[in-house]
Amino acid sequence: QAGLTQPPSVSRGLRQTATLTCTGNSNNVGNQGAAWLQQHQGHPPKLLFYRDNNRPSGISERFSASRSGNTASLTITGLQPEDEADYYCSTWDFSLSVVIFGGGTKLTVL
Amino acid sequence: QVQLVESGGGVVQPGRSLRLSCAASGFIFSGHTMHWVRQPPGKGLEWVAVIWSDGSNSYADSVKGRFTISRDNSKNILYLQMNSLRAEDTAVYFCARDVVGLPEAWGQGTLVTVSS
C-alpha cells in the first residue's frame, strides 16, 4: 500500500522555524486532510494535529499545521531542544480503506 | 485520563502464533474505534488494523489473512491475534484510540520478536 511522502530529515537552528511537508494524493490527504504525530526516541507517538489543523488540548501553539491540495505542512516556530524528534503524517485513504503513514521526518535542532 | 496498556509480546518462532491484548480505561471503550499500529526496530510507523465500534474491521495488506483484530467491550480489552508469524512482523505493537478515523491516544507498546 502506498504511503505518504515526507523528507527523511530536516535541520534548523535553535529558535528558528521548521516547516515539514507531507504529500499524498486526492484519495487521502487531498480528501481527508492529514494528522501529524511527534515521536521522541523510545516513546509512543503523540498526536499534534488531526484533520489538518485541529489541535488536541495541551499542544503548544508554537506548532501549527495547514494543507494545500494534496500536501500537508507542519510548522514549528521558536525551535527548542525538546522539539528534536521524529514527525509522522497520517491519513485515511478512502479508496484503499486503510490508514497510511508517511515515512517520517527526523527533525534536528542545531 | 485515557490509558491503554498493551501486553502479550515476546519472542516467537516463525510460523507460530501470538495474541496481543490492550487494556483500555478512562473512556467509554465500547463507543470508540480502535487501531493496532506497529513499528519495526529503527523504522517508521506501519498501520496494522482497525476495528469499529460495531465490530467491523479493516487490515493492512501485509497482515490480511494472518492477523485478526477483535474486542471485548465487557472487559474493555482490544486484541490482536497473530498467526503464521514472519520475521518481518518483528516490531513494537501499539494500540491506539481513534479520532476521526486515525490513531489518537497511544499505549506504550509491546515488543514482538519473530526469530528462530
Side-chain angles (χ1 to χ4, degrees), chain A residues 3-97:
Chain A
L4 305 174
T5 301
Q6 297 183 252
S9 63
V10 169
S11 299
R12 292 290 183 272
L14 195 63
R15 293 182 295 278
Q16 289 189 335
T17 296
T19 297
L20 312 182
T21 60
C22 168
T23 301
N25 59 42
S26 58
N27 292 324
N28 44 65
V29 174
N31 182 277
Q32 302 289 307
W36 288 95
L37 304 108
Q38 176 192 59
Q39 186 180 32
H40 289 106
Q41 181 72 27
H43 291 268
K46 175 183 177 181
L47 185 69
L48 298 176
F49 291 95
Y50 60 95
R51 284 275 169 87
D52 294 331
N53 55 10
N54 290 272
R55 188 203 316 261
S57 61
I59 302 302
S60 169
E61 292 191 1
R62 294 190 298 106
F63 292 84
S64 63
S66 62
R67 177 172 62 91
S68 177
N70 297 333
T71 298
S73 299
L74 174 71
T75 299
I76 312 168
T77 59
L79 283 169
Q80 299 297 308
E82 60 266 28
D83 298 330
E84 190 162 286
D86 294 322
Y87 291 85
Y88 295 91
C89 60
S90 175
T91 190
W92 178 261
D93 188 302
F94 78 86
S95 69
L96 301 173
S97 294

Side-chain angles (χ1 to χ4, degrees), chain A residues 1 32-35 37 39 42-47 50-51 56 88 90-92 96-103, chain B residues 35 37 39 43-47 50 52 58-62 64 94 99-109:
Chain A
Q1 285 154 337
Q32 302 289 307
L37 304 108
Q39 186 180 32
H43 291 268
K46 175 183 177 181
L47 185 69
Y50 60 95
R51 284 275 169 87
Y88 295 91
S90 175
T91 190
W92 178 261
L96 301 173
S97 294
V98 297
V99 173
I100 53 175
F101 286 95
Chain B
H35 299 264
V37 179
Q39 186 169 35
K43 296 189 177 181
L45 301 170
E46 180 188 6
W47 179 79
V50 62
W52 286 276
S58 181
Y59 298 89
D61 284 348
S62 58
K64 199 174 294 184
F94 298 100
V99 65
V100 295
L102 299 173
E104 172 217 2
W106 298 63
Q108 292 296 313

